[in-house]
Structures are given as C-alpha cells and as structure tokens.
Amino acid sequence: MKVEQANVLASVQRLIDEADIKRVLFEYAHFLDHNEIKSLTELFTEDCHIAYGSDHGADGIEAYQGTLENEKFGVGAFFAGTSHHVSNVVIDFISEDEARVRSQLYAWHRYNRERADGILMGQYHDIVVRTADGWRIKRRELKTVGTESYHAKGDALNPIPRRTQA
Amino acid sequence: MKVEQANVLASVQRLIDEADIKRVLFEYAHFLDHNEIKSLTELFTEDCHIAYGSDHGADGIEAYQGTLENEKFGVGAFFAGTSHHVSNVVIDFISEDEARVRSQLYAWHRYNRERADGILMGQYHDIVVRTADGWRIKRRELKTVGTESYHAKGDALNPIPRRTQA
Amino acid sequence: MKVEQANVLASVQRLIDEADIKRVLFEYAHFLDHNEIKSLTELFTEDCHIAYGSDHGADGIEAYQGTLENEKFGVGAFFAGTSHHVSNVVIDFISEDEARVRSQLYAWHRYNRERADGILMGQYHDIVVRTADGWRIKRRELKTVGTESYHAKGDALNPIPRRTQA
C-alpha cells in the first residue's frame, strides 16, 4: 500500500491496533505459563467462545475460568509448568473494531504426574474486538498441527485441514 | 530514528511494508503446513531462486512447484504433517521496492513412513520485491543451524557459517 | 489508542522504536548462534548487567565478553551449535529513551562433548536504552520456564515465579 497524506492516520491506526492485538496474544501466553488465571481471563470478552477440541472448550468467561482452575484438570492442577511460544501472527480486520487473527503455537507442557513432557504445535484462530478496555479475545479456536507425547489425542483435538496428496 | 513531519510518510511506509513482508513469510509457513502448494507458489516471483542445500532447490516457479508436488519427495508425499514456526524477522531495505529479509525457523516434520519425527532449525535468507500484487519472494535460501533426527544431513544441507572458537 | 493528527508523530515514533528494539533482540540471537561475540557485545551498554542465574552473569561489558569467550565454558568452547528462537515480544516504555522488554525464548544447544542436545525455554527480561548508536541492552535477566536435558539445573537457573494451585 502506498502511504500518503490522505491515508496516513488510517495506516498508523492499523499499525497501532496490530501491535496492541499481538500484545494480547503474548500476554495470554505469559499469564498461562504463570498460571495467573484471573489476569488471563481479563483478556477475553464476557461472552467469549473457546474451542480446543470437539468436546473441550467453554462458552462465556465464567465457564472458561472454571476449566482453567479445575482442581483436577486445570492449568495448575494438571501441569507443573508450560511454555507457550506464539509466532507467525497474521491479522485481518473485519471492521475498525474487529479482526480475525491467526498465530502459530509451540507449547511445551510438564505434567504434575510422572510422564514424559508433552508438546503441542498448533494454531490459534481468534476473533478479537475493540472494547473500552482495549482489544479482547471474543473467540479462540485452537487447531492442532502435531503433537509429541501430549496427553490429548485424536478426536479430543481439532486438527488443521491439511490437504493430502492427490 | 527521530520521526518528524518531514519523514513521517516514509516512516509509516517502512512500517506498513515490513508488516506486509512479514505476512508473506507467515503465509508461506501456513500454506506449507496445509500442503496448499498453489497458494504457496503465488508468494514467489516467476523467476524465483530457491536454495535449500548444495543440490536441493529450484530455479523458477514451475521447477519449484515441481519439487513441492513431487509424487515421491514432495510435501504431501513425504510428510504426514509439518509445523513451521517463523520468528526473529529482520528486514533491510535495499531500495523502496526490494528488501533483504532474515528469519529464524523451527520446523517439525512427521513422515509418511515409519521413523522418528524430524526437527530442522535454520534461517531463511530472502530477497523480497514489491510487485503489483504485493511483496513476493524472489530468492529464498535456507541455512541450517541444527537438526534432530531429520532425514537430510551433511552436504544435503546448507550450514550457517558459525565461527569456531579460536 | 485513537490515532489523531495531534498524536500521529508520537505514535509513529513508538512503532519505529519498537521495531528497532525488536531488531536488537533478534541480532543478539543471530550473533550468539554464530558465535560472533564482538558484534554481540556491541548490542549492550558499557555498564550492562547480565543475570542468567543466582551466580551466573556479569557486570559490565568486559566481564560479559569474558564469560562468552571463556575458553572452557564460553559459547564457542562449550557448544558445537545453538539456535535461539525469540518471540512474544512485549515492550513497555518507561520514558522516551528507556523501555522494559519481555520476550519468550526457545533455545537449542548442541554440546562439544558427547551428550544429548539441551533445550532451554525461558524469558528475557530486558531494560533497553536509546543511545547515540541506537537502542542497546542495559540489563538482561534470563528467567527459566523449563528445560530438556540441559546442562544447568536447579539453583543455577532463575525460575519464573509460577503460581502453584491453591
């Protein structure tokens, strides 16, 4: 795109919004790795929809917080540590106040029980919206590209639609 | 750099161009992981030069597409899945319409045959050019930093020139 | 943030500074992986403080360079190769000329002695300052999130403060 006097404000707005949106993705990873669930859920809208697999997810922020703090399968109960590396962020604005965001995830997990560490490689497919408090995640879908000794398998995950060789 | 009224348009142009160039790198990874070869090759110029190793690469978009769709060694034939994580993007403009781009790659590969998954860590060294359809990759060289149980080894790869201790 | 004529210069300055700061982080990774210690140390201020663990670090650029070039434990002596993948960069400006920066690291290490490759996942917590020669790192602390067969363990590392389940 050619930046000109006529579109410079809109161009800078796009860049600032993109920087702020990326920051939400990175704060999510940070709060997740620190098991700071309250701060994490503040990055989402009240009516958020989360889909991690065919029957693994949440509708609404309270349900989501419930899964993250579940005393058996929550982040702190299930994992002794995690490291979320988010890259390849691609942002498409649907309107001035809403965007579709795709990012690539490399996530390492150490379990509280005795087993090998698990790796999940995947993609976050998000809808983010501008609110009075900044950009928030309204919809987050995790699609899985591959795993290494990860606890969840097959139908519990949501695979990317990779084209198989004709 | 100090941004002033006199250089604000050029500064914003640089930032918009950098965002667009990064997007090309991320779309490449996405199409590769989805085995969407036609969409992938549209990110390159007709006369592109690809170098993955001393005798592994392609000259021109048709030759490149041929290697990617090869029925024995192509992306879909050889791999059951891949995940490409691209970070550390550094962009240097050679002119307004051409840039030198370096990025760091973590690439995971699951094979169609029975063997351990392979990891390649490396760097893309690209020349990108502005075209009527946006930024395109004109030259892409992959340099290898390290591998874990990857199928290609030694001379088939193109190692980074790491300084050995004096 | 709403970009307007009144704040457009400041907004663009922020974006240019962020791009330049990210570049310093990526150049660091690049020079480290290439064992180019002189170029690497030029990214730091003379009075830099480096903390990798409770008793592992350096005060001042000469001491830092000494650890990196140590003939037994330095980068070239200890490792046959490394690959540093830096993502999730979050930048907070303290003033126009100083910023707090956090990034996520995936670092692969191949040793010169016979042993398995080591992985370190962590976070860089940096203070960067604007100098006449561009942004430089004044303080770098590495916090460890997790490791896989890495040579350093326990107290030698500086763990992130992860909340344990109540």
Side-chain angles (χ1 to χ4, degrees):
Chain A
M1 199 191 69
K2 182 99 181 76
V3 177
E4 289 165 334
Q5 204 56 54
N7 63 22
V8 67
L9 287 185
S11 298
V12 177
Q13 186 70 61
R14 169 193 148 188
L15 292 163
I16 292 276
D17 285 336
E18 288 181 351
D20 291 348
I21 289 168
K22 279 183 231 174
R23 186 179 180 121
V24 171
L25 271 58
F26 301 153
E27 295 286 17
Y28 170 89
H30 189 77
F31 292 136
L32 187 54
D33 291 343
H34 287 243
N35 187 27
E36 295 284 356
I37 302 308
K38 201 181 166 334
S39 300
L40 185 154
T41 54
E42 284 167 8
L43 301 170
F44 290 80
T45 62
E46 286 280 329
D47 65 343
C48 64
H49 175 75
I50 313 290
Y52 287 147
S54 53
D55 62 352
H56 190 53
D59 268 303
I61 197 64
E62 277 182 52
Y64 185 35
Q65 188 163 344
T67 68
L68 293 168
E69 291 181 333
N70 184 285
E71 60 181 22
K72 210 162 159 191
F73 301 111
V75 175
F78 204 67
F79 300 117
T82 65
S83 193
H84 287 74
H85 305 257
V86 179
S87 61
N88 307 32
V89 183
V90 169
I91 300 172
D92 284 303
F93 287 92
I94 301 164
S95 72
E96 276 186 22
D97 301 324
E98 193 171 2
R100 204 179 297 280
V101 186
R102 191 183 76 214
S103 56
Q104 194 83 356
L105 170 69
Y106 179 97
W108 170 88
H109 308 78
R110 177 150 290 168
Y111 298 87
N112 274 324
R113 58 189 155 126
E114 276 296 329
R115 77 184 298 296
D117 298 335
I119 309 287
L120 181 141
M121 286 152 290
Q123 303 162 354
Y124 289 123
H125 291 251
D126 300 322
I127 301 285
V128 298
V129 292
R130 191 197 306 272
T131 76
D133 302 316
W135 288 92
R136 292 291 178 267
I137 304 171
K138 187 184 173 68
R139 182 189 160 82
R140 162 154 283 196
E141 187 179 7
L142 175 64
K143 295 190 184 177
T144 301
V145 176
T147 62
E148 298 279 356
S149 72
Y150 192 60
H151 64 281
K153 296 200 196 308
D155 286 353
L157 300 171
N158 189 10
I160 61 164
R162 185 174 186 262
R163 195 175 69 94
T164 50
Q165 187 81 344
Chain B
M1 199 192 71
K2 183 99 181 77
V3 176
E4 288 166 333
Q5 205 55 54
N7 63 23
V8 66
L9 288 184
S11 299
V12 177
Q13 186 70 60
R14 170 194 147 187
L15 292 163
I16 292 276
D17 284 335
E18 287 181 351
D20 291 347
I21 289 167
K22 281 184 230 173
R23 185 180 179 120
V24 171
L25 271 58
F26 301 154
E27 295 285 19
Y28 170 89
H30 189 77
F31 292 136
L32 188 54
D33 291 344
H34 287 244
N35 187 25
E36 295 283 356
I37 302 307
K38 201 181 166 335
S39 300
L40 185 154
T41 53
E42 285 167 8
L43 301 169
F44 290 79
T45 62
E46 285 279 330
D47 65 344
C48 64
H49 175 75
I50 314 289
Y52 287 146
S54 52
D55 62 352
H56 190 52
D59 267 302
I61 198 62
E62 275 183 52
Y64 185 36
Q65 188 163 343
T67 69
L68 294 167
E69 291 182 332
N70 183 286
E71 61 180 21
K72 210 162 162 191
F73 300 113
V75 175
F78 204 67
F79 300 117
T82 64
S83 193
H84 286 75
H85 305 258
V86 179
S87 61
N88 306 31
V89 183
V90 168
I91 300 171
D92 283 303
F93 287 93
I94 301 164
S95 72
E96 277 186 21
D97 301 323
E98 192 171 4
R100 203 178 298 278
V101 186
R102 192 185 75 215
S103 57
Q104 194 83 357
L105 169 69
Y106 179 97
W108 170 89
H109 308 78
R110 178 151 288 167
Y111 298 87
N112 274 324
R113 59 189 155 128
E114 276 296 329
R115 77 185 297 295
D117 299 336
I119 308 288
L120 181 142
M121 286 154 289
Q123 302 162 356
Y124 289 123
H125 291 252
D126 300 322
I127 301 286
V128 298
V129 292
R130 189 197 307 273
T131 76
D133 302 317
W135 289 92
R136 294 291 178 266
I137 304 171
K138 186 184 174 67
R139 183 188 159 85
R140 162 153 283 196
E141 187 180 6
L142 175 65
K143 294 189 184 178
T144 301
V145 176
T147 61
E148 297 280 357
S149 72
Y150 192 60
H151 64 281
K153 294 199 196 310
D155 287 352
L157 301 170
N158 189 11
I160 60 163
R162 185 175 187 261
R163 194 176 69 96
T164 52
Q165 188 82 342
Chain C
M1 201 192 71
K2 182 98 180 79
V3 176
E4 289 166 333
Q5 204 55 56
N7 63 22
V8 67
L9 287 184
S11 298
V12 177
Q13 185 71 61
R14 169 192 148 189
L15 291 163
I16 292 276
D17 284 337
E18 288 180 352
D20 291 348
I21 290 168
K22 279 183 232 173
R23 186 180 179 120
V24 171
L25 271 58
F26 301 154
E27 296 284 19
Y28 170 89
H30 189 78
F31 292 136
L32 188 54
D33 291 343
H34 287 243
N35 188 27
E36 295 283 354
I37 302 308
K38 199 180 169 332
S39 300
L40 185 154
T41 54
E42 284 168 7
L43 301 170
F44 290 79
T45 62
E46 285 280 329
D47 65 344
C48 64
H49 175 76
I50 313 291
Y52 287 145
S54 53
D55 62 352
H56 190 52
D59 268 302
I61 198 63
E62 276 182 52
Y64 186 36
Q65 188 164 344
T67 69
L68 293 168
E69 291 183 333
N70 184 286
E71 61 180 23
K72 211 164 159 188
F73 299 111
V75 175
F78 204 66
F79 300 118
T82 65
S83 192
H84 286 75
H85 305 257
V86 179
S87 61
N88 306 32
V89 183
V90 168
I91 299 171
D92 283 303
F93 287 92
I94 300 164
S95 72
E96 277 185 21
D97 301 324
E98 194 171 2
R100 206 178 295 279
V101 186
R102 192 183 74 215
S103 56
Q104 194 82 356
L105 170 68
Y106 179 97
W108 170 89
H109 308 77
R110 176 151 290 167
Y111 297 87
N112 274 323
R113 57 188 157 125
E114 275 297 329
R115 80 186 294 296
D117 298 336
I119 309 288
L120 182 141
M121 286 153 290
Q123 303 162 355
Y124 289 122
H125 290 252
D126 300 322
I127 301 286
V128 298
V129 292
R130 190 197 305 272
T131 75
D133 302 317
W135 289 92
R136 293 290 177 267
I137 304 172
K138 187 186 174 67
R139 184 189 157 84
R140 162 154 283 197
E141 188 179 7
L142 175 65
K143 295 190 184 175
T144 302
V145 176
T147 61
E148 298 281 356
S149 71
Y150 192 59
H151 64 281
K153 296 199 195 308
D155 287 353
L157 300 171
N158 189 11
I160 60 164
R162 186 174 186 262
R163 197 176 67 95
T164 51
Q165 187 82 340

